[in-house]
Amino acid sequence: MNKLGILLVLGLLILGGCNSRPERLGAPIEGYNHTSAGINSFRVSGNGGPNISPYGGGGKQNCCVSLPVKWHLELTVVVEWEKDPDPFAYGKWSEAPFTDVWRKRMAAHKANYTRYRDVVEVAPYDALGVVTVHFLPCNEVKVAAGATRPNLPTHPYKYPPRIEEPSQC
């Protein structure tokens, strides 16, 4: 092969390498709490997430969880979270904040926090986007990761902001 042929082959190989796409990308994480409990913190496959007020969420994103650019069957993430069943209790206490008496009461309050871990399937997506984690009654969690947002017709989950906890899960 002459020099021109070698240069042409090398050029095609280099250009072919420029067109390669990553198999995984980091996607920002955003949470939505559809319950009356506070979500003190949450993580998606070890990464994430801020606290979320009861019936709140959105607007705050944390970086990032690595997901495949292309969705595939049985794609899952591990979601871990901590719940406060009475997130506004300490705002009603008569004790001055951060005193010894207040700290003791806060320790008793924190004893009621519960922690959960679940392996959750990721809803199908055509293009990777923001990872939205929906916290639902009975400690159910749903995860979407497409290039869509809650309240848009293309989002796979159509939950109202407030969902009352049933008397029995």
Side-chain angles (χ1 to χ4, degrees):
M1 190 181 281
N2 64 24
K3 286 184 181 180
L4 184 59
I6 291 172
L7 288 175
L8 182 62
V9 169
L10 285 175
L12 289 174
L13 287 173
I14 290 171
L15 287 176
C18 291
N19 288 332
S20 67
R21 294 190 176 139
E23 290 183 24
R24 299 180 74 83
L25 287 173
I29 303 164
E30 188 170 79
Y32 293 85
N33 183 4
H34 302 272
T35 75
S36 62
I39 304 297
N40 290 339
S41 64
F42 71 96
R43 300 177 75 68
V44 178
S45 295
N47 303 287
N51 64 343
I52 310 171
S53 300
Y55 309 117
K60 285 197 266 184
Q61 295 179 356
N62 284 51
C63 190
C64 292
V65 62
S66 175
L67 286 174
V69 172
K70 289 187 170 208
W71 180 85
H72 59 79
L73 283 174
E74 299 179 6
L75 176 60
T76 61
V77 292
V78 176
V79 179
E80 299 168 281
W81 68 103
E82 179 183 80
K83 277 177 41 174
D84 180 349
D86 193 5
F88 301 115
Y90 52 87
K92 302 171 196 164
W93 298 343
S94 60
E95 298 85 359
F98 306 106
T99 61
D100 288 341
V101 175
W102 184 90
R103 283 187 181 94
K104 184 176 180 181
R105 191 162 180 180
M106 186 57 139
H109 176 79
K110 286 182 177 181
N112 293 315
Y113 290 177
T114 52
R115 289 164 191 79
Y116 302 91
R117 182 181 191 276
D118 199 2
V119 177
V120 182
E121 285 195 36
V122 178
Y125 55 85
D126 294 323
L128 181 59
V130 175
V131 176
T132 55
V133 182
H134 295 268
F135 295 94
L136 304 167
C138 300
N139 302 311
E140 186 179 0
V141 178
K142 296 289 185 179
V143 176
T148 183
R149 309 287 295 160
N151 300 325
L152 291 179
T154 54
H155 195 71
Y157 302 117
K158 313 279 190 266
Y159 300 114
R162 292 176 177 254
I163 303 174
E164 294 303 317
E165 193 87 24
S167 59
Q168 196 170 15
C169 290

